[in-house]
C-alpha cells in the first residue's frame, strides 16, 4: 500500500505542470488530436524531443497498465489539454521572425555663444551631440523566444545629426561696409554595427544576451572668420565603442494549439556606461558630455503565430538611469549634471509568410514584416547652463534637450529570409512618422544576420 501511494504521488508530480496549464486553456482542447488505442496512451516527457511518427503506425511511447495509477489521470489530461501540453513542445519550435527595430538612441543638444578675445568675432549655434545616449531598445533584433544565436546588425541613419551655426566677424571691409556673417547648416549620417550573443539555459526557458554597438565616429569643425586656421567650434565622438548591454529573458507562459501558438516572456536589460561620450570645442575651450549612468530596462514581450502563416509580436519596455548626463570642462572640471528622462518604448509588429520550403537545403522561407515603434520621454530633459573659458575665448553654453518632451514614432517595413536551418537574415527600411523635434533622422536602412544553433 505504501509503495502504491508513493508511485501515485510521483505520477501526480509529473502531471502537475501539464494539468495546471490545461485548466487554463481547456477551451482550446480537442480530444481528436490525441491518439489512443487498446488502452495505450500517448505520453511524452516534456523535457525530451518528440520522436517522429509515420502515417500508418501511430507512435506509442509508453504502454500503460489500465489499472496503474498513471492510467487514472492521463486520460483526463489527454481529453482536456490543447494539443502540445504534456508533449515535447518548446518555444524554439516556433518560427516567428525576430522584431527588426528602429532606434537611434537619445541625443542631447548644445546651444552656445562664443566671443573670441583680441577680435570682434562672435559665433553662435545649436547642434546635436552624437553618441551622448547610446542605450538601445531591447526589441532590436529580438523575440519572445529564447534562442542560441550569434548575430550582426547594421543600421544606417540618414541625416541623424544637425549643426547650425553663425560666425559673425562684427567688422567692416576696406570700403567700411559691414562684413556679412557666415551661416552654416549641416546634416550628418550615422552608421552603427552591433555584435550580439544569446545563450539559453534551464531547458531553453531562459536566456542571457550580450550586445555591443560600434558606431562610426562623427567629427565636425567650423573654422573662424578672422583667422581661417582657427576653429570657431567643433565636436566629435571620442570612442567608437557604444555601451555594452546584458539582457535576461524568461518564458512566463507558452501554448501550442491547432489555431495558434504563442509565447509570453519577460525580463530586464542592464546597459553599462562603457563609451566615453562626446567632446565639444568652443574656440579654445573644451568640455566633455557623457551619459555615465547604468540603465535598467524591464520589459515584457509576446508573440502569436498561426499555422495559416500570419504572426504578431510586441514589446513594452521602460528605461531608467541610475545617474545623470555629466558635463566636465577641461579647465574648470565638473560643471554639472542633467537628469536623464525615463523612457517608455512600445514596439508592435505583424507579418505573413509569403513562402515556406521546409524540405529545401537552401532558401527555406520568406516573410514580409511591418512594425510600428513608439518612444516617449516621461519627463522633460533637464538643461545645464555654464560658462566655458579658454585662453582666447569665452563661451556661454547650455547643454540639454531644448525640445522638451519628445514622442518619436517610426514605421519599419522589411523581409525575413530563412537561408538555411541555422542562418536567417532581415533587410528593412525605416521612415519617421513625425516632423522635428520628434524626428531623429530622415530615413534608416537595416540589415540583420542571425546564426542560430
Amino acid at each position: 500500500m505504501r509503495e502504491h501511494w508513493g508511485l501515485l504521488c510521483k505520477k501526480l508530480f509529473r502531471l502537475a505542470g501539464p494539468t495546471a496549464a490545461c485548466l487554463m486553456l481547456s477551451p482550446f482542447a480537442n480530444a481528436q488530436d490525441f491518439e489512443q488505442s487498446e488502452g495505450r496512451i500517448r505520453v511524452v516527457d516534456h523535457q525530451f524531443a518528440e520522436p517522429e511518427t509515420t502515417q500508418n503506425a501511430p507512435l506509442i511511447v509508453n504502454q500503460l497498465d489500465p489499472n496503474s495509477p498513471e492510467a487514472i489521470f492521463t486520460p483526463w489530461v489527454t481529453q482536456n489539454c490543447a494539443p502540445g501540453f504534456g508533449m515535447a513542445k518548446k518555444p524554439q519550435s516556433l518560427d516567428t521572425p525576430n522584431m527588426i527595430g528602429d532606434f537611434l538612441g537619445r541625443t542631447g543638444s548644445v546651444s552656445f555663444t562664443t566671443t573670441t578675445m583680441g577680435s570682434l568675432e562672435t559665433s553662435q549655434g545649436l547642434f546635436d551631440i552624437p553618441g551622448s545616449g547610446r542605450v538601445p531598445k531591447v526589441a532590436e533584433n529580438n523575440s519572445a523566444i529564447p534562442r542560441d544565436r550569434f548575430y550582426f546588425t547594421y543600421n544606417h541613419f540618414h541625416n541623424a545629426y544637425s549643426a547650425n551655426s553663425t560666425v559673425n566677424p562684427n567688422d567692416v571691409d576696406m570700403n567700411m561696409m559691414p562684413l556679412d556673417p557666415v551661416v552654416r547648416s549641416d546634416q550628418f549620417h550615422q552608421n552603427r554595427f552591433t555584435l550580439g550573443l544569446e545563450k539559453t539555459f534551464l531547458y531553453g526557458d531562459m536566456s542571457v544576451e550580450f550586445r555591443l554597438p560600434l558606431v562610426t565616429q562623427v567629427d565636425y569643425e567650423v573654422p573662424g572668420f578672422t583667422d581661417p586656421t582657427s576653429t570657431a567650434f567643433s565636436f566629435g565622438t571620442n570612442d567608437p565603442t557604444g555601451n555594452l548591454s546584458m539582457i535576461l529573458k524568461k518564458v512566463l507562459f507558452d501554448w501550442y494549439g491547432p489555431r495558434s501558438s504563442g509565447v509570453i516572456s519577460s525580463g530586464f536589460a542592464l546597459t553599462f556606461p562603457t563609451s566615453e561620450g562626446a567632446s565639444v570645442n568652443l574656440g579654445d575651450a573644451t568640455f566633455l558630455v557623457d551619459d555615465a549612468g547604468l540603465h535598467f530596462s524591464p520589459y515584457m514581450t509576446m508573440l502569436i503565430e498561426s499555422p495559416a502563416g500570419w504572426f504578431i509580436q510586441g514589446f513594452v519596455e521602460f528605461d531608467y538611469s541610475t545617474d545623470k548626463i555629466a558635463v566636465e570642462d577641461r579647465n574648470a572640471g565638473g560643471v554639472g549634471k542633467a537628469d536623464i528622462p525615463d523612457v517608455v518604448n512600445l514596439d508592435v509588429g505583424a507579418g505573413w509568410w509569403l513562402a515556406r520550403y521546409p524540405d529545401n537545403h537552401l532558401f527555406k522561407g520568406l516573410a514580409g514584416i511591418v512594425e510600428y515603434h513608439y518612444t516617449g520621454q516621461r519627463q522633460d530633459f533637464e538643461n545645464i547652463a555654464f560658462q566655458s573659458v579658454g585662453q582666447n575665448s569665452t563661451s556661454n553654453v547650455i547643454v540639454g534637450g531644448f525640445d522638451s518632451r519628445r514622442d518619436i514614432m517610426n514605421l519599419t517595413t522589411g523581409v525575413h529570409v530563412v537561408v538555411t536551418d541555422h542562418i536567417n537574415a532581415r533587410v528593412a527600411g525605416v521612415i519617421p512618422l513625425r516632423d522635428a523635434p520628434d524626428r531623429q533622422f530622415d530615413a534608416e536602412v537595416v540589415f540583420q544576420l542571425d546564426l542560430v544553433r
Side-chain angles (χ1 to χ4, degrees):
M1 186 67 176
R2 181 174 300 175
E3 294 179 358
H4 176 79
W5 280 107
L7 180 60
L8 180 60
C9 292
K10 183 182 296 185
K11 301 305 180 183
L12 280 172
F13 180 80
R14 288 185 58 190
L15 295 172
T19 303
C22 294
L23 289 174
M24 290 183 285
L25 292 181
S26 58
F28 300 98
N30 186 353
Q32 297 178 355
D33 293 303
F34 293 83
E35 297 174 349
Q36 303 184 23
S37 176
E38 299 178 356
R40 292 182 290 184
I41 311 297
R42 186 168 181 246
V43 179
V44 180
D45 194 311
H46 188 69
Q47 298 181 6
F48 297 91
E50 182 178 357
E52 297 182 357
T53 61
T54 61
Q55 295 181 352
N56 300 325
L59 175 67
I60 306 302
V61 178
N62 291 339
Q63 181 171 340
L64 305 179
D65 181 355
N67 297 320
S68 67
E70 187 169 5
I72 299 174
F73 297 96
T74 305
W76 186 93
V77 174
T78 57
Q79 293 172 11
N80 292 275
C81 281
F85 280 102
M87 299 296 182
K89 292 285 188 178
K90 298 294 288 182
Q92 289 75 17
S93 65
L94 305 181
D95 58 2
T96 298
N98 286 355
M99 180 163 282
I100 299 171
D102 72 312
F103 199 44
L104 171 64
R106 290 170 308 200
T107 303
S109 301
V110 172
S111 173
F112 70 94
T113 301
T114 301
T115 302
T116 302
M117 301 175 185
S119 72
L120 301 176
E121 181 178 302
T122 61
S123 58
Q124 59 186 13
L126 173 67
F127 58 89
D128 299 324
I129 309 171
S132 59
R134 305 177 194 171
V135 182
K137 284 184 177 180
V138 171
E140 302 279 321
N141 193 5
N142 210 342
S143 168
I145 303 172
R147 289 190 171 104
D148 291 301
R149 61 180 180 129
F150 172 80
Y151 62 87
F152 166 81
T153 299
Y154 167 72
N155 301 81
H156 172 79
F157 302 96
H158 194 74
N159 292 341
Y161 304 108
S162 63
N164 303 287
S165 63
T166 301
V167 179
N168 195 336
N170 293 318
D171 204 350
V172 295
D173 59 15
M174 297 179 60
N175 298 320
M176 302 303 294
M177 297 296 294
L179 295 173
D180 294 330
V182 178
V183 180
R184 291 186 58 171
S185 180
D186 298 291
Q187 301 284 334
F188 306 93
H189 311 317
Q190 177 79 80
N191 294 302
R192 184 173 68 200
F193 308 87
T194 304
L195 300 176
L197 176 67
E198 183 177 5
K199 182 68 180 71
T200 63
F201 55 97
L202 291 183
Y203 304 105
D205 285 338
M206 291 190 68
S207 71
V208 59
E209 175 185 347
F210 296 93
R211 60 172 67 167
L212 179 67
L214 305 172
V215 297
T216 54
Q217 293 180 262
V218 176
D219 294 294
Y220 178 71
E221 180 177 317
V222 174
F225 185 93
T226 305
D227 181 8
T229 62
S230 65
T231 300
F233 83 94
S234 66
F235 63 86
T237 51
N238 298 328
D239 184 6
T241 305
N243 291 330
L244 175 68
S245 295
M246 181 185 72
I247 303 172
L248 287 175
K249 184 189 307 177
K250 173 67 172 70
V251 174
L252 301 180
F253 186 69
D254 54 332
W255 72 95
Y256 312 91
R259 297 177 181 86
S260 68
S261 302
V263 179
I264 299 176
S265 300
S266 183
F268 64 89
L270 294 175
T271 302
F272 304 93
T274 54
S275 65
E276 294 186 5
S279 60
V280 179
N281 299 304
L282 302 176
D284 60 352
T286 302
F287 61 91
L288 176 70
V289 181
D290 188 18
D291 181 358
L294 172 69
H295 286 256
F296 173 68
S297 307
Y299 70 94
M300 179 167 286
T301 174
M302 179 185 71
L303 68 82
I304 302 175
E305 68 174 46
S306 168
W310 57 263
F311 52 86
I312 58 175
Q313 59 184 324
F315 280 79
V316 177
E317 175 191 358
F318 297 90
D319 177 71
Y320 307 95
S321 177
T322 61
D323 205 344
K324 304 179 180 182
I325 289 182
V327 180
E328 182 175 349
D329 188 89
R330 183 179 62 181
N331 298 321
V335 297
K337 291 186 176 183
D339 283 331
I340 302 175
D342 298 332
V343 172
V344 57
N345 297 318
L346 175 63
D347 307 274
V348 181
W352 187 275
W353 283 101
L354 305 175
R356 283 197 277 196
Y357 308 104
D359 297 330
N360 286 5
H361 295 290
L362 191 66
F363 184 59
K364 302 177 74 68
L366 177 68
I369 301 174
V370 178
E371 299 173 355
Y372 167 80
H373 304 280
Y374 168 79
T375 299
Q377 294 180 188
R378 302 181 64 190
Q379 303 93 16
D380 292 339
F381 209 120
E382 191 177 79
N383 297 327
I384 302 175
F386 64 98
Q387 190 174 74
S388 182
V389 180
Q391 292 182 353
N392 300 311
S393 64
T394 301
S395 302
N396 295 313
V397 186
I398 301 177
V399 178
F402 305 100
D403 300 315
S404 187
R405 196 171 303 186
R406 295 186 182 184
D407 293 295
I408 300 168
M409 301 180 188
N410 296 323
L411 181 69
T412 302
T413 58
V415 293
H416 171 83
V417 181
V418 182
V419 183
T420 69
D421 287 333
H422 304 289
I423 302 175
N424 61 75
R426 285 162 297 284
V427 179
V430 183
I431 55 174
L433 299 179
R434 306 191 70 176
D435 296 327
D438 299 322
R439 183 187 185 101
Q440 291 189 310
F441 47 81
D442 289 341
E444 177 189 353
V445 177
V446 185
F447 172 74
Q448 297 171 344
L449 178 67
D450 282 44
L451 305 180
V452 185
R453 181 180 172 182

